[in-house]
Amino acid sequence: MSKSVSKSVKPIKIVVIGSGGVGKSALTLQFSKSKFFLDYDPTIEDSFSKSCYIDNEMARLDILDTAGQEEFTSMREQYMRLGQAFLVVFSVTDRKGFEEVDSLIQLIYRVKDREAFPIMVAGNKIDLQNDRCIDQSLAQELVQRHQEFNPYCAYIETSAKTRLNVDLVFHDLVRLLRLYNAKGGSKQAKKSKCSLL
Amino acid sequence: PEVVRRCKRTEMSNSERIWKDGHLQQRRSSAKSSRWQRRYIQLLADCLRVYEDESMKRMRHQIALNTVNIVEHSDVVFELARRHDASNTVSLIFTAEDVKQAAGWLKELYWLRYRAEGGGVFGRSLADVMRAQADTGGVTDVPRIVSECVSFLSTETCLGTEGLLRKSGQKKAVSALRLAYQRGESPDLTAASAHETATLLRIYLSELPEPVVPYFAYANFLTAGQKISLGDPDTELANLQGLIQILPVENRNLLKLLSCFFHMVEQQSDRNLMDATAIATLFSSSLLSDDNDRLLVNAEMALDPQPRGLAVSTITALIENYERLFGDIEFEQVIRRSVTPPPPPSPSPATLHLPQHQQHSASCVPTLTAGSSASAEIQKALSSITRLYREKAEESYALTRELVSLKSRLAACAHCQRHLLEVASEKADTAPPASAMAVAAQAAAEAATAEPTESSCPACTFHRSETACMRTVIAELSDRLRGLQSENEALYKMLLAFNGGTGCGGNGAAAGNVSGSDTSR
């Protein structure tokens, strides 16, 4: 019975992006399979789907787990075009991955040609408190800068290892998307074109 | 007018090769107030010419490349800035329509400007780079950028870095390194971290116009990889070894160096967490892939997981069996000829596996020499077959490429699509874009059936006649390709039989067969 329900729901395409080795696959696998995999295998591209109730409403999530290495960027723009909501992951133990976050969000706006879009920023690996080099306030600040013009952007701290906030990050993303769609997000004004023209 | 212009251009190219031409927005950088102008630009081997328009009646500027430096202001804006010691020339700023167009121009500009100094290597073919390197008296086995990166990365501290080759370096630092190499400089890699250098190496390899294993050998490598993972690794490794032997020398050298380096990384996987499969996954598309994977520009062509998995397992086999496949220590020495002084001889795993190499190569060489002395004829025949095979394989690969590009051009001529869309949107003036697309698609379908309609666009009429030509060419090419492929298959089997033969110390009967059939050719 639940199957027929989930069939009738249109899947939501979620794309997980972020620098290499920050735990994109670990988060995705922890969410979809409730497991923490210890192997250290880089991803080229993987997809998972999971159905769940979020705020008493059925949601079918198609999650696309992507490669973190920049030379796969030609692929990156393609799957970005298909994504309806984005999870941008960085590791709180990796400064370089964090520096990448802003440019990735900019890339989403550019590919989507929108100024606002549902985006969750996840600071992963917070179980490794001793190695932490990105403060919560630093990440909050970054997201707040985006929130000024993109109300569908939020920050959350996660640990794929201890499963902290793993469900929450995906559920919140779906909530953001619902909010975005309810406000007629897809029909919202496109990014303003070059003012010189 | 289109045709006339084309003729003019080909006449020109006979006297001086045009490396690239096209339109860019341009202005002079000295006069800040000067306006952007759309200009027609031609890039020749040693100079850049800016024309008023494509008719090439008025040349606005001609800049000798060796009097300027290339400065990138953003993704799409770059400047040819006059060098301080050069008078008599101007600095010009250019803006491209998008990142891709800018990258295309920059690639050629860097190469033509800095190749004499050993720069401009990104996106250049291995053969080009090696030729330039030989001319400038550099290292002659692998591209300088690779040998320098690898020698830094194979230092003890780098090898122990967690996520080596996987994690990304800081973007700014990586672009600075890239710029230095584009200009032919030798940046101090020790000042950067391991991740930056690794990222640079990954990017360089991924931008090679052809993977390290050339397209023509792709299918055979994949088959070999599949067989290794399925079982009987011994004979299959011999096959793979044979395949490596028939690669062009610059590709073989690079593959060897990389396999060796990856092998060293893998040896320390308890510290850096990178096992052979992980490394293979990261590099499989740069080392072993076909067109569809690399030039993934057309949206619908997603990565086919199956061949990708096979490519990964083939590369894994290359890394894990490095000693058996390449077995010599010469390259280790190349790598160890490092930027920093070599690590003290401590009993660490990296230095421990050196003796194994020596042992192995020592046991390997005698069998090889014994085989060759047993019959010089075998060697001769083998090399002639190898040559023949490589020629055929390259030819058939070139044909396949031509076919694919012809077919895709047939499917979508960008200009006509756009034109038809415009016509359609004019027709369905107020209609929503979706239906305009539908009308355009219909119109395109009509055009594809080559019905001469009253369309006034000269390009479309031109395109339609071109399409008819293309169809016949495609049919001819397909026939030739089929012929070549069967020939090739026979040759490949012969080669494998041969490799099996020499592997067992020179099987006389098999060798006789092969050389016999070789002369019959």
Side-chain angles (χ1 to χ4, degrees):
Chain A
M1 237 182 39
S2 66
K3 246 188 183 171
S4 66
V5 175
S6 66
K7 275 268 166 63
S8 63
V9 181
K10 237 181 139 188
I12 297 168
K13 287 196 168 57
I14 291 178
V15 180
V16 187
I17 53 179
S19 185
V22 295
K24 295 177 292 298
S25 304
L27 268 181
T28 313
L29 287 167
Q30 181 64 275
F31 176 67
S32 59
K33 300 217 161 41
S34 297
K35 269 184 198 150
F36 182 67
F37 289 85
L38 273 170
D39 37 332
Y40 194 71
D41 283 343
T43 311
I44 296 180
E45 197 176 293
D46 274 320
S47 58
F48 303 90
S49 59
K50 181 173 170 145
S51 300
C52 51
Y53 278 96
I54 299 168
D55 303 333
N56 295 321
E57 202 184 320
M58 187 67 176
R60 221 171 104 210
L61 312 184
D62 272 357
I63 306 168
L64 187 69
D65 182 17
T66 66
Q69 287 71 28
E70 43 280 271
E71 66 275 16
F72 294 100
T73 33
S74 61
M75 290 157 60
R76 195 180 266 171
E77 294 200 10
Q78 279 157 41
Y79 55 65
M80 275 190 166
R81 254 173 236 128
L82 300 172
Q84 295 168 286
F86 291 87
L87 178 61
V88 182
V89 185
F90 70 92
S91 157
V92 295
T93 65
D94 176 10
R95 187 165 290 281
K96 287 159 194 162
F98 179 67
E99 283 165 9
E100 188 100 329
V101 170
D102 193 59
S103 57
L104 281 172
I105 298 180
Q106 301 290 354
L107 185 65
I108 297 172
Y109 296 148
R110 208 178 70 215
V111 172
K112 286 295 177 186
D113 202 14
R114 293 274 187 284
E115 273 175 333
F117 211 76
I119 297 166
M120 278 301 282
V121 179
N124 194 29
K125 303 196 190 177
I126 60 158
D127 52 293
L128 300 172
Q129 275 302 338
N130 291 337
D131 299 328
R132 183 161 185 158
C133 63
I134 304 294
D135 272 349
Q136 185 167 8
S137 57
L138 206 64
Q140 285 286 11
E141 219 172 274
L142 174 98
V143 171
Q144 266 159 18
R145 266 207 315 278
H146 283 280
Q147 277 168 339
E148 279 170 25
F149 50 89
N150 179 11
Y152 312 102
C153 183
Y155 174 65
I156 201 167
E157 306 219 312
T158 59
S159 164
K161 194 173 181 182
T162 62
R163 210 165 202 283
L164 180 78
N165 288 344
V166 169
D167 285 336
L168 190 66
V169 69
F170 282 95
H171 290 188
D172 272 1
L173 187 56
V174 174
R175 290 186 186 112
L176 284 176
L177 178 68
R178 283 175 181 167
L179 211 65
Y180 177 77
N181 287 339
K183 292 261 171 78
S186 53
K187 279 174 196 139
Q188 270 179 8
K190 284 200 170 184
K191 207 170 167 179
S192 53
K193 287 276 183 276
C194 177
S195 56
L196 282 173
L197 299 168
Chain B
E2 175 83 7
V3 181
V4 176
R5 223 174 290 143
R6 271 168 190 247
C7 293
K8 219 178 192 175
R9 226 180 287 166
T10 44
E11 262 171 45
M12 286 277 302
S13 67
N14 287 339
S15 52
E16 317 175 86
R17 177 176 170 193
I18 297 170
W19 283 74
K20 191 169 175 64
D21 69 336
H23 288 92
L24 286 174
Q25 299 282 342
Q26 172 256 316
R27 73 174 172 83
R28 285 174 71 149
S29 48
S30 52
K32 288 279 180 227
S33 57
S34 81
R35 287 190 34 204
W36 290 105
Q37 304 277 359
R38 190 165 183 269
R39 299 285 191 216
Y40 175 68
I41 303 185
Q42 258 185 5
L43 179 61
L44 282 81
D46 54 357
C47 70
L48 181 110
R49 291 175 182 162
V50 181
Y51 291 96
E52 189 116 284
D53 57 35
E54 221 177 327
S55 67
M56 304 200 309
K57 280 181 191 138
R58 282 197 63 190
M59 199 200 305
R60 306 287 302 211
H61 302 284
Q62 170 158 338
I63 296 180
L65 289 178
N66 57 12
T67 62
V68 291
N69 281 323
I70 302 166
V71 183
E72 290 176 56
H73 292 298
S74 77
D75 282 354
V76 291
V77 182
F78 56 91
E79 179 178 0
L80 295 185
R82 185 168 66 97
R83 272 167 46 166
H84 297 300
D85 52 347
S87 55
N88 223 352
T89 182
V90 287
S91 301
L92 297 179
I93 302 190
F94 299 92
T95 304
E97 273 170 29
D98 52 34
V99 183
K100 221 166 127 192
Q101 195 193 17
W105 277 96
L106 284 168
K107 186 185 113 186
E108 301 294 337
L109 277 168
Y110 274 119
W111 174 246
L112 295 174
R113 168 68 185 82
Y114 294 107
R115 64 177 162 171
E117 289 143 52
V121 291
F122 279 82
R124 240 38 258 186
S125 79
L126 212 47
D128 278 355
V129 172
M130 291 322 295
R131 216 172 299 131
Q133 227 162 271
D135 288 347
T136 53
V139 203
T140 49
D141 39 20
V142 291
R144 187 173 57 93
I145 179 171
V146 179
S147 62
E148 288 183 5
C149 285
V150 165
S151 63
F152 171 59
L153 288 173
S154 52
T155 51
E156 210 43 45
T157 36
C158 285
L159 285 178
T161 312
E162 184 185 314
L164 182 70
L165 301 176
R166 176 180 182 177
K167 287 192 175 164
S168 298
Q170 194 190 19
K171 255 194 181 157
K172 259 188 204 154
V174 176
S175 354
L177 288 178
R178 181 195 169 113
L179 184 67
Y181 275 108
Q182 284 291 58
R183 291 190 171 157
E185 296 157 9
S186 270
D188 179 17
L189 293 172
T190 47
S193 83
H195 294 315
E196 267 95 46
T197 310
T199 308
L200 185 76
L201 179 66
R202 273 203 328 257
I203 292 178
Y204 170 74
L205 291 174
S206 73
E207 285 186 22
L208 283 173
E210 208 176 353
V212 178
V213 173
Y215 289 132
F216 77 80
Y218 169 73
N220 288 337
F221 264 78
L222 221 55
T223 323
Q226 190 175 20
K227 283 179 185 158
I228 289 173
S229 56
L230 285 178
D232 196 13
D234 279 351
T235 36
E236 294 312 328
L237 276 178
N239 280 350
L240 195 57
Q241 203 168 13
L243 280 171
I244 292 165
Q245 286 309 314
I246 59 177
L247 295 181
V249 62
E250 58 266 17
N251 298 66
R252 192 166 63 222
N253 282 341
L254 183 55
L255 189 66
K256 190 169 172 181
L257 177 78
L258 289 173
S259 308
C260 169
F261 166 57
F262 294 158
H263 179 73
M264 286 168 74
V265 176
E266 184 222 357
Q267 296 270 310
Q268 309 242 356
S269 60
D270 49 336
R271 290 202 293 153
N272 56 38
L273 302 182
M274 301 297 292
D275 60 12
T277 319
I279 303 168
T281 311
L282 290 170
F283 287 90
S284 67
S285 70
S286 319
L287 259 55
L288 183 62
S289 61
D290 62 0
D291 271 7
N292 294 352
D293 271 12
R294 282 173 72 86
L295 314 176
L296 203 85
V297 204
N298 304 327
E300 300 86 79
M301 287 196 289
L303 279 184
D304 193 343
Q306 211 211 344
R308 199 88 310 266
L310 284 179
V312 170
S313 61
T314 309
I315 304 293
T316 311
L318 279 177
I319 300 171
E320 283 175 343
N321 301 292
Y322 163 75
E323 288 162 43
R324 288 186 59 184
L325 288 169
F326 296 98
D328 66 37
I329 56 160
E330 221 177 300
F331 265 76
E332 290 253 302
Q333 286 159 353
V334 171
I335 290 177
R336 290 286 177 204
R337 195 176 58 202
S338 51
V339 193
T340 51
S346 61
S348 65
T351 41
L352 269 184
H353 77 256
L354 267 168
Q356 286 173 14
H357 274 284
Q358 270 161 335
Q359 260 178 26
H360 183 82
S361 56
S363 66
C364 182
V365 170
T367 53
L368 271 178
T369 45
S372 60
S373 66
S375 154
E377 257 174 60
I378 299 182
Q379 289 299 322
K380 239 167 99 187
L382 183 62
S383 67
S384 77
I385 298 179
T386 308
R387 206 171 46 242
L388 201 63
Y389 172 79
R390 204 188 292 166
E391 276 166 18
K392 295 274 176 210
E394 268 165 11
E395 198 179 337
S396 80
Y397 188 75
L399 263 181
T400 319
R401 268 176 84 102
E402 212 175 320
L403 261 177
V404 170
S405 84
L406 272 176
K407 278 181 183 164
S408 66
R409 263 172 66 198
L410 191 63
C413 162
H415 178 271
C416 280
Q417 296 280 3
R418 210 181 317 131
H419 173 72
L420 288 166
L421 198 69
E422 277 163 20
V423 172
S425 62
E426 274 166 29
K427 271 187 198 164
D429 213 0
T430 49
S435 73
M437 287 291 282
V439 177
Q442 202 186 344
E446 277 168 22
T449 52
E451 287 273 325
T453 53
E454 71 279 44
S455 162
S456 58
C457 168
C460 290
T461 359
F462 170 71
H463 176 225
R464 214 171 292 129
S465 64
E466 201 186 14
T467 329
C469 284
M470 258 152 63
R471 287 225 171 85
T472 41
V473 175
I474 286 179
E476 276 171 29
L477 285 185
S478 306
D479 274 354
R480 254 176 63 200
L481 185 63
R482 264 194 295 279
L484 260 178
Q485 270 165 350
S486 59
E487 259 179 75
N488 221 341
E489 206 152 301
L491 272 175
Y492 178 60
K493 275 187 193 138
M494 236 191 272
L495 262 178
L496 286 191
F498 224 121
N499 276 320
T502 45
C504 322
N507 186 326
N513 273 339
V514 178
S515 53
S517 53
D518 181 51
T519 44
S520 74
R521 265 174 192 279

